Amino acid sequence: MSNVEIVQELYRAFSQKDYEAFRKVCASDVEWIQNEGFPNGSTHHGTDAVIKGVFDVLHNDWDSWRFKIEDYLDGGSSVVALGYYEGVHKVSKKSFHSAAAHVYDLLDGKVARFRQFTDTKVIWNAIT
């Protein structure tokens, strides 16, 4: 698989809660860096920490949550996914739309690092 295809498989695995596939496309010690100020955001190390601290939280806190990809930029060992988040919060029932970019650094055919860039205020407005 190309690096772009590996990132596409990561998004498929997330959307279908296929965590075994997620583990296969990521390095076991993947570094997952969420935007400063992102709800429940921090830096997670390892696939299990990402599943528990990121994916499970998003699935539990939001009635709907998705990252709609508009474009991939292939930078060789780095792939950028451009798009936007949208979702509806479980408690507030408010929705949001926030432009975002995800930067993936790959090493030996695995995602080694993820970095997130988005407008966190828009997301917090949906929570409160």
Side-chain angles (χ1 to χ4, degrees):
M1 282 195 289
S2 72
N3 285 344
V4 170
E5 290 170 330
I6 291 168
V7 171
Q8 289 170 332
E9 173 61 7
L10 184 147
Y11 286 115
R12 186 210 59 80
F14 168 74
S15 70
Q16 297 180 4
K17 298 181 187 177
D18 183 352
Y19 297 148
E20 285 308 308
F22 173 76
R23 286 182 180 95
K24 287 179 183 174
V25 297
C26 289
S28 61
D29 62 346
V30 64
E31 182 180 28
W32 198 271
I33 305 166
Q34 291 179 300
N35 209 98
E36 186 174 335
F38 191 77
N40 300 311
S42 64
T43 298
H44 303 274
H45 297 277
T47 54
D48 290 338
V50 173
I51 291 166
K52 182 178 180 181
V54 179
F55 297 165
D56 287 348
V57 169
L58 291 173
H59 289 301
N60 290 333
D61 291 354
W62 296 86
D63 281 335
S64 67
W65 177 277
R66 78 175 186 151
F67 179 62
K68 174 68 174 157
I69 299 155
E70 296 175 320
D71 200 7
Y72 290 99
L73 306 176
D74 186 350
S77 62
S78 294
V79 173
V80 178
L82 299 173
Y84 57 89
Y85 289 116
E86 61 184 9
V88 177
H89 193 259
K90 274 191 179 172
V91 175
S92 74
K93 302 300 181 194
K94 294 180 186 174
S95 63
F96 77 94
H97 181 278
S98 179
H102 294 167
V103 179
Y104 295 91
D105 298 314
L106 292 95
L107 181 64
D108 298 327
K110 302 268 187 179
V111 173
R113 181 171 66 170
F114 163 86
R115 290 173 284 161
Q116 172 197 56
F117 302 91
T118 191
D119 181 352
T120 59
K121 183 175 185 331
V122 172
I123 299 168
W124 276 104
N125 287 347
I127 294 172
T128 58

